[in-house]
Amino acid sequence: MLAQSIRLVSRASVPVLRRRFGTSMPRRDIIQDLYLKELKSYKAPPVKATDSVGQVKPWVAPSTPVPPVVEASAPADLSEYESQIVEVEGVAEAAEEESDVEDWFVVEPLETERH
């Protein structure tokens, strides 16, 4: 009982300092206020038509392309190309090897279990 009364007396005699956080009191930020004030007072310099001179290359339309020249021998070369026999490496060799090798993969029929 005595310990409780000492606690009550000690709590009452010492002022309790507490910091209260709330939304009722607006927070002031000096740096933010200065920054916003400077932003609002800034006036952009007016843009002139001659500002881009020397900064950008003037636009020039591209020249028209030159069509390719068709040689006189082109039709003869094309017919010669079409008449050539297609040669593929390894196809003839593989066909010869397949005739010599037996089929090693054999699928056996599935047996059903009977009870």
Side-chain angles (χ1 to χ4, degrees):
M1 182 89 166
L2 181 62
Q4 291 177 353
S5 63
I6 293 174
R7 285 185 195 159
L8 292 176
V9 171
S10 65
R11 287 185 184 170
S13 62
V14 178
V16 178
L17 300 174
R18 293 184 183 164
R19 186 172 184 178
R20 297 179 187 241
F21 295 101
T23 58
S24 62
M25 195 169 167
R27 184 172 171 227
R28 304 262 322 154
D29 191 0
I30 297 171
I31 296 173
Q32 182 180 5
D33 292 342
L34 287 171
Y35 181 72
L36 291 175
K37 183 178 121 184
E38 291 297 320
L39 278 179
K40 289 177 184 175
S41 67
Y42 177 74
K43 301 291 181 198
V47 179
K48 301 175 191 170
T50 59
D51 284 346
S52 65
V53 174
Q55 303 294 325
V56 182
K57 284 181 158 183
W59 187 80
V60 178
S63 61
T64 56
V66 179
V69 178
V70 178
E71 297 179 12
S73 64
D77 292 342
L78 183 60
S79 63
E80 181 184 339
Y81 173 75
E82 289 175 348
S83 65
Q84 288 180 350
I85 298 172
V86 178
E87 297 176 8
V88 180
E89 292 181 15
V91 174
E93 296 169 3
E96 291 174 4
E97 289 178 11
E98 285 180 8
S99 62
D100 297 340
V101 179
E102 295 179 17
D103 190 15
W104 56 272
F105 185 73
V106 179
V107 178
E108 296 178 5
L110 297 174
E111 296 180 12
T112 58
E113 292 183 22
R114 296 182 184 156
H115 295 286

